[in-house]
Amino acid sequence: MRLMQTLLLLFCLTGSSLSSWAQYAFSGEVSSQTWEGELYLSLVDNYRKLSGIHPEQIINKTIADSSGRFLFVGDNLHPKNNIYRIHIDNCPDNTNSLQHFSGHCLNSEEILFIARNTDTLALPLGFDKELFCEVRSTNKKAAVFTRLDSLREVMAFEFSKTQSQANKQLNADKWIKSFQKFGQELDEPLAELYGYALFSDRSSQLFSFYLNDLEDNAYYQALEQRLEQQYPNHPFTQQYRNELLADRFLLSQTKPKSRLWIWLIAFLLLSVLINGYLIYKRKNRNATPVPIASLTAQEEKIVQLILENQTNKEIATSIFVSLSTVKSHINNIYRKLGVSSRTQLKDLFSK
């Protein structure tokens, strides 16, 4: 531990790359009084999994020393820019099968950054011991996601005040263009995928606005070209290309068709809904009612999103509130329903 403290001190004071020990060195601080769990370093290979802990993405893990300092070192990262995530939580051991390795632990923090194998990076504590609020790195692109997170917080606040559908459309158009412009100014296609993933998520209320934009906006084709030029063999490039093809096909299917097709699709959807309802009623005929009368409309919506396995950040995006507000709602839900974890909540609604 003393050696790690010495290395961290040298890095923070002198900006040393610690290259005599390893090619990359990612250091930081956590409040030892608040955080006791392990820290995970993950390589994000799917931009639909930017948040949470995913076992297949983990490449290193460590624990902070008694003073709260931690260090990741090694020589196994890609030589070109990639997206990485450092995550810490206080999930108890008996919840790691669901909450821990799905990013569902309420008491967790994480940060996304861009790095190469030769980079050094520091994550010092901020004001009032705020965690992961500043990124210092030899890579100029490292901190792009903290800036994008700030932009998303402003967007979520504006959407929370929007009521009419017309205003939502105007706000969506504005923010889609804002993320696209800001992403291009960052001159990093990997950062642009952050905004694309946000708006093109099919479970999000923003998806329909994204489809409207996709129909006549040349930005998406240009982004594909930038990815192919800078990251021709990266899995993100193929993932983006495939998703764009799928979304364009979906867009083509949503254009006006003959009335016969419209009625046929409507009939099939109605049949599925009726069958699903009958199966649900039969399954739950003798089930004990779940005590949800005390939940607010917003809390009921959050419960539904939890049952759909959305993470806290995904819920915040879906209902356009901050992450801290989502955590507060979830704590209230647990208290009202007499549960203490997502597992118990799902069991309650599966009876």
Side-chain angles (χ1 to χ4, degrees):
M1 290 298 181
R2 185 176 299 275
L3 175 60
M4 189 172 80
Q5 292 179 24
T6 303
L7 294 177
L8 285 167
L9 181 61
L10 284 172
F11 176 74
C12 293
L13 293 179
T14 69
S16 168
S17 67
L18 300 179
S19 58
S20 59
W21 290 280
Q23 286 293 310
Y24 74 85
F26 304 153
S27 62
E29 296 178 84
V30 300
S31 173
S32 57
Q33 298 176 346
T34 305
W35 300 98
E36 300 175 352
E38 291 182 310
L39 291 112
Y40 296 87
L41 173 63
S42 298
L43 168 63
V44 179
D45 57 359
N46 181 338
Y47 54 74
R48 297 294 175 190
K49 295 182 178 180
L50 292 174
S51 180
I53 296 182
H54 304 279
E56 72 278 8
Q57 294 182 350
I58 296 172
I59 57 176
N60 204 345
K61 65 179 180 179
T62 188
I63 58 173
D65 64 18
S66 58
S67 66
R69 296 184 176 90
F70 66 87
L71 178 66
F72 291 102
V73 293
D75 189 24
N76 59 334
L77 304 189
H78 292 286
K80 296 187 66 174
N81 280 345
N82 261 283
I83 302 176
Y84 296 91
R85 177 180 57 250
I86 291 178
H87 179 112
I88 187 172
D89 62 49
N90 285 339
C91 280
D93 292 340
N94 61 0
T95 63
N96 61 14
S97 62
L98 175 64
Q99 295 179 334
H100 184 62
F101 286 107
S102 298
H104 293 150
C105 182
L106 292 177
N107 196 6
S108 64
E109 292 290 345
E110 63 186 15
I111 186 168
L112 289 170
F113 58 92
I114 287 178
R116 300 179 297 256
N117 191 48
T118 55
D119 290 338
T120 56
L121 177 138
L123 303 170
L125 286 174
F127 177 75
D128 199 24
K129 296 186 177 182
E130 186 177 0
L131 191 63
F132 300 155
C133 63
E134 181 182 0
V135 179
R136 301 174 185 172
S137 175
T138 54
N139 190 327
K140 295 181 180 179
K141 304 292 179 65
V144 294
F145 292 111
T146 59
R147 299 168 65 185
L148 288 165
D149 277 336
S150 299
L151 190 64
R152 188 175 72 171
E153 287 290 326
V154 177
M155 182 191 74
F157 176 75
E158 284 203 7
F159 266 99
S160 68
K161 300 186 298 180
T162 302
Q163 299 297 325
S164 71
Q165 185 66 20
N167 279 333
K168 287 182 179 179
Q169 178 68 61
L170 291 174
N171 259 339
D173 291 342
K174 165 190 169 183
W175 283 107
I176 288 175
K177 297 296 188 295
S178 294
F179 268 88
Q180 291 171 355
K181 180 181 178 182
F182 189 62
Q184 291 181 81
E185 291 173 350
L186 293 173
D187 191 28
E188 176 50 70
L190 297 183
E192 294 184 72
L193 290 175
Y194 178 103
Y196 170 75
L198 175 64
F199 291 102
S200 63
D201 181 358
R202 297 195 178 194
S203 65
S204 170
Q205 299 177 22
L206 299 170
F207 182 69
S208 61
F209 303 122
Y210 151 75
L211 279 184
N212 291 336
D213 190 59
L214 176 62
E215 187 170 10
D216 55 9
N217 191 342
Y219 166 83
Y220 301 97
Q221 183 67 37
L223 175 55
E224 182 178 357
Q225 293 173 355
R226 288 192 289 275
L227 286 166
E228 289 174 344
Q229 290 172 0
Q230 297 189 41
Y231 302 99
N233 300 316
H234 199 291
F236 284 171
T237 302
Q238 186 61 48
Q239 181 183 0
Y240 178 79
R241 186 185 299 115
N242 292 341
E243 289 189 2
L244 214 56
L245 285 172
D247 290 341
R248 283 173 174 155
F249 176 77
L250 177 63
L251 188 61
S252 70
Q253 299 305 300
T254 60
K255 292 181 179 180
K257 304 289 183 180
S258 68
R259 290 187 179 274
L260 177 61
W261 276 106
I262 295 175
W263 282 108
L264 179 60
I265 293 173
F267 174 78
L268 290 174
L269 288 175
L270 182 61
S271 299
V272 170
L273 290 173
I274 292 175
N275 288 333
Y277 175 76
L278 293 175
I279 293 172
Y280 173 82
K281 291 292 290 184
R282 187 161 54 248
K283 179 180 178 182
N284 294 277
R285 185 173 298 165
N286 300 318
T288 303
V290 177
I292 63 170
S294 61
L295 298 182
T296 66
Q298 187 79 308
E299 289 169 349
E300 290 182 14
K301 188 171 185 178
I302 290 175
V303 167
Q304 182 59 42
L305 294 175
I306 289 174
L307 297 177
E308 294 174 4
N309 292 321
Q310 290 201 19
T311 65
N312 292 342
K313 284 194 174 182
E314 289 170 342
I315 293 174
T317 299
S318 296
I319 64 176
F320 306 108
V321 298
S322 67
L323 182 59
S324 60
T325 300
V326 171
K327 291 181 179 181
S328 177
H329 280 312
I330 291 178
N331 284 330
N332 289 336
I333 292 169
Y334 284 1
R335 176 177 53 80
K336 292 179 180 180
L337 298 183
V339 298
S340 60
S341 69
R342 287 191 174 222
T343 302
Q344 293 180 2
L345 181 65
K346 291 179 179 179
D347 289 342
L348 183 64
F349 281 85
S350 65
K351 292 180 179 179

